[in-house]
Amino acid sequence: MADTQTKRAFKWEPVIDHGILILGALMMILPIVIALTTASQPDVQIIKEGLSFQIGDQLDDNISSALFTQGGFSGEITGMLMLQNSMILGIGFAVGKIIIGMMAAYAIVYFRLRFATFAFWIIFTTLLLPLEVRIMPSYEVVQGMGLTNTYTGLILPLIASATATFFFRQFFLSVPEELVEAARIDGAGPVKFFIDILVPLSRTMIAAMFIIMFVFGWNQYLWPTLITTEEHMYTLVRGIRQIIQDQDGATIPQFGRGIMLAMLAILPPVLIVVFFQSWFVKGLTESDK
Amino acid sequence: MKRAGFRTISLPMLLLLPQLVIIGIFFYWPAGWAIQSSFYLQDPFGFGSTYVGAENYTRLAGSSEYRKVAWFTLIYTALVTFLSLGIALLLAVKADKVIRGAKTYRTLLMWVYAVAPPVAGFLGLMFFDQNVGPITEFLAGLGWDFKLGVNSFDTATAMVMVAVWKQIPVNFIFFLSGLQSIPRSVREAAMIDNKSGTQRFWDITFPLLAPTAFFLLIINITYALFDTFGVVDTLIKGEPGNNPITLVYMVFRDGFRGGDLGGSSAQSVVLMVLVLILTIFQFRLLERRIHYT
């Protein structure tokens, strides 16, 4: 209705809108596409001609060398092993965080406990300081406990923050009061109410939290770099550091293998985020508010 | 707390126990240790430590290198924050507007969320490489002799670009969900009152998005300060040398490479205070947040 006079004229606005969006999408996707096409070329050619926009014939060779060739200083690390370590870190972190967070949030929201307010503050202060600012002493503590190069030492210190607890607290508070009243009238105890009513009700929230936490855990870099010094404990993301050092020293850097390992490092979290997009977006925008 | 809450005491204590034990050991203990050791000077050969009072802090305040790193961090944070917020806002407004392909655009623009910062840095390393990098080649065509890892300014430029690339998706997701939560009636009323799309954006949409933008501001500052460690570390190949580094990187470098536990702890404490101020600021903003619906 605003454009009655120019109704028949060609409209530029949608073209510009789409142009900007396509430009943005290309900016996001091109680096990965070029990295992949480059990784399909022989390493010698990459050094000669730079990153490549064409698909070569080395794709499967580089994939299999990324997955199965033993690399590193000790020669005991393969892509598969790093993938396994990353999975353990991602899943272990997400599951641990959700279980501990749900338990604590349930205790804080559903029980008349004077101690609850104090616990609430103790727990939520942890939201204030990310691991990075207390990295040195955290390392000292974990090392003192003899937990370097263990999955426990890798995962537990990362769990020591209240993001999931906060998220579930918010959600539990939004659950109607009548539910717990009804459950009590029916004679359900706290354990039964939690397992039979609250957990099934939180399914979507649990899924959303799992995606966010899995990606967060999988993508950890600084902490694994400090805590895992033995190569058989490397995760894919931590392994990036090794790849760069290997490439730096080599006369013919193994570009193909390196890029493939990097692609392997982004594949699982990207797939999860893309396929479970709506849950993930819901969880993200609701948890941080 | 629910009004009709259960009255058992032992069960909630039991439920809280794992969380409290973990944060006790891995949060409060290290945080306390950082504060304590910032007042001590560590013997470089491991023969104990001596109480030196505020010396670590005064040394920090007098250090020209620390001031340089702090300045760089400030500029870096400001650039990363505003560039990624600006680009993401533009893309979100357009993605909210188009009818065709809206879902495809959304997916293409948000998946980078899942890419780890060091992997983004690794890609940056290849694209800005002296010999094989296409961006270096492109910039050479413009007369810019780009030298990653040699020229500080060039290295810093690459750091900003990679960090922005990695951060656009998060901002995009939040802006888009903010835009989509603006009620239809408000949009229609604005359409009737105001013909110009640009003016409508600044008069109606932008003020309605302000709470989201404020919230994202804090998120982005925290990201640029802490989460870009992976970007910085990969782009400088783990060799600080003369390269620009951020404050968190300096904590890491002095603590682990330099063995200066006291100085590193003092830096940690300064960062803690900084984050505390930011968080308090954020909470106050959230309290005052205006709800239009």
Side-chain angles (χ1 to χ4, degrees), chain B residues 151-171:
Chain B
N151 182 320
S152 294
F153 181 80
D154 295 352
T155 313
T157 310
M159 280 178 190
V160 171
M161 283 172 75
V162 172
V164 168
W165 181 75
K166 159 77 192 112
Q167 186 65 359
I168 287 172
V170 184
N171 295 334

Side-chain angles (χ1 to χ4, degrees), chain A residues 112 122 165 175 221 241, chain B residues 2-3 19 28 233 261:
Chain A
R112 292 194 162 186
I122 292 275
T165 317
V175 171
Y221 179 69
R241 203 165 210 265
Chain B
K2 299 270 180 190
R3 270 185 293 116
Q19 171 105 62
Y28 284 101
D233 190 49
L261 195 66

Side-chain angles (χ1 to χ4, degrees), chain A residues 110 171-181 193 201, chain B residues 2:
Chain A
Y110 280 97
F171 175 68
F172 290 163
L173 284 175
S174 76
V175 171
E177 187 102 7
E178 289 76 17
L179 217 57
V180 66
E181 280 169 13
F193 173 73
L201 208 64
Chain B
K2 299 270 180 190

Side-chain angles (χ1 to χ4, degrees), chain A residues 45 50 101 256:
Chain A
Q45 195 184 328

Side-chain angles (χ1 to χ4, degrees), chain B residues 106-169:
Chain B
R106 193 180 86 163
T107 309
L108 288 176
L109 288 167
M110 60 165 263
W111 66 273
V112 169
Y113 171 87
V115 175
V119 179
F122 173 72
L123 289 172
L125 207 55
M126 312 223 38
F127 278 79
F128 288 104
D129 187 273
Q130 201 81 77
N131 307 308
V132 301
I135 299 181
T136 315
E137 207 176 312
F138 173 74
L139 291 174
L142 297 174
W144 183 352
D145 187 16
F146 199 94
K147 286 200 166 84
L148 181 71
V150 179
N151 182 320
S152 294
F153 181 80
D154 295 352
T155 313
T157 310
M159 280 178 190
V160 171
M161 283 172 75
V162 172
V164 168
W165 181 75
K166 159 77 192 112
Q167 186 65 359
I168 287 172

